[in-house]
Amino acid sequence: MNALEFFQKSAGKWKSQRTTHHLAFRRAEKGGSEIYVNPLNADDPKVIEICQMHEFDPATAIGGAYVKWDGTMAWDKEDDENHSGETVFALVPDDETGRKGKLLRERGYAEVMPVIGCYEIDDEDALVLITEYPSMSSYERFWFPAPNVRMRASTVQRFGGFSTATFCTEELIEEASNAETVEENSPVTQPAIASVFGW
């Protein structure tokens, strides 16, 4: 399985239950969200736009995905936090297998900025994403224990120490063919606020 096939397997709407450990405060926070994943072909205008944004030849991309999410966290105060958003990314493999390469993001997981991360499909067919930011780094691992269940574990490290560790269980609640459709020609937009549910 290559990275594009992993995201094709992720197509549809997912219900996510998550626990985030804020290590500096020694506290855990629970939350939930709905996540919609739409894989994109290599010739999709959004994939081409992301490649051009990062100055990569669009012909080197094997595809990508559009991801939209809407969630809440236990510590949210009214109108203080926004855990909804959307993002687009493109996959640029290092070789013909497509199992390792660059993930070009419109926005990052830990910081709201265009960013280039690294992806790899490991020996257990799990997707590993590593992204370095100016002030932090994130590590994410996704895997399927069953076709309709996806697990996700992630850590965010800043200033030399881990600040958060998160574990999610995600259940497929709507197949891709029945999930909401995405406007194929809608422009790539930059959300105004970061979300911990981002890819």
Side-chain angles (χ1 to χ4, degrees):
M1 179 164 54
N2 65 28
L4 182 59
E5 290 168 340
F6 188 97
F7 286 111
Q8 290 169 340
K9 192 174 179 179
S10 299
K13 187 177 288 187
W14 299 78
K15 183 175 179 63
S16 176
Q17 297 295 320
R18 69 197 304 272
T19 301
T20 297
H21 297 273
H22 299 269
L23 303 180
F25 302 105
R26 298 183 181 178
R27 292 187 63 183
E29 178 183 21
K30 295 186 182 298
S33 66
E34 286 190 356
I35 302 170
Y36 170 69
V37 181
N38 181 33
L40 302 175
N41 293 325
D43 60 355
D44 189 280
K46 296 183 185 72
V47 172
I48 294 171
E49 186 176 350
I50 292 296
C51 289
Q52 292 171 340
M53 176 189 298
H54 289 285
E55 300 181 344
F56 275 74
D57 181 357
T60 61
I62 59 172
Y66 165 86
V67 182
K68 182 179 179 182
W69 61 91
D70 184 21
T72 58
M73 293 297 289
W75 293 359
D76 286 352
K77 306 298 182 183
E78 186 175 352
D79 298 325
D80 285 346
E81 296 286 344
N82 181 356
H83 295 293
S84 299
E86 57 186 7
T87 191
V88 177
F89 56 80
L91 297 162
V92 178
D94 288 343
D95 58 34
E96 65 280 354
T97 69
R99 291 178 63 89
K100 187 175 183 179
K102 302 288 187 296
L103 185 81
L104 313 183
R105 302 192 194 204
E106 170 212 359
R107 58 165 296 166
Y109 168 82
E111 293 184 2
V112 181
M113 59 184 295
V115 67
I116 300 173
C118 296
Y119 74 82
E120 182 175 1
I121 302 294
D122 68 17
D123 292 340
E124 297 178 334
D125 280 337
L127 175 68
V128 176
L129 305 178
I130 300 172
T131 310
E132 299 289 339
Y133 303 91
S135 62
M136 66 186 74
S137 62
S138 69
Y139 173 94
E140 304 166 84
R141 186 176 188 269
F142 303 77
W143 69 98
F144 291 94
N148 64 336
V149 178
R150 193 175 69 176
M151 313 293 272
R152 176 156 42 125
S154 63
T155 57
V156 175
Q157 182 176 2
R158 68 175 78 218
F159 307 122
F162 290 104
S163 57
T164 60
T166 301
F167 180 78
C168 303
T169 301
E170 299 168 348
E171 179 185 3
L172 183 65
I173 59 174
E174 198 168 333
E175 297 286 343
S177 58
N178 298 324
E180 64 183 281
T181 57
V182 179
E183 292 293 331
E184 289 301 322
N185 296 319
S186 61
V188 173
T189 56
Q190 179 90 2
I193 188 165
S195 169
V196 291
F197 296 106
W199 285 65

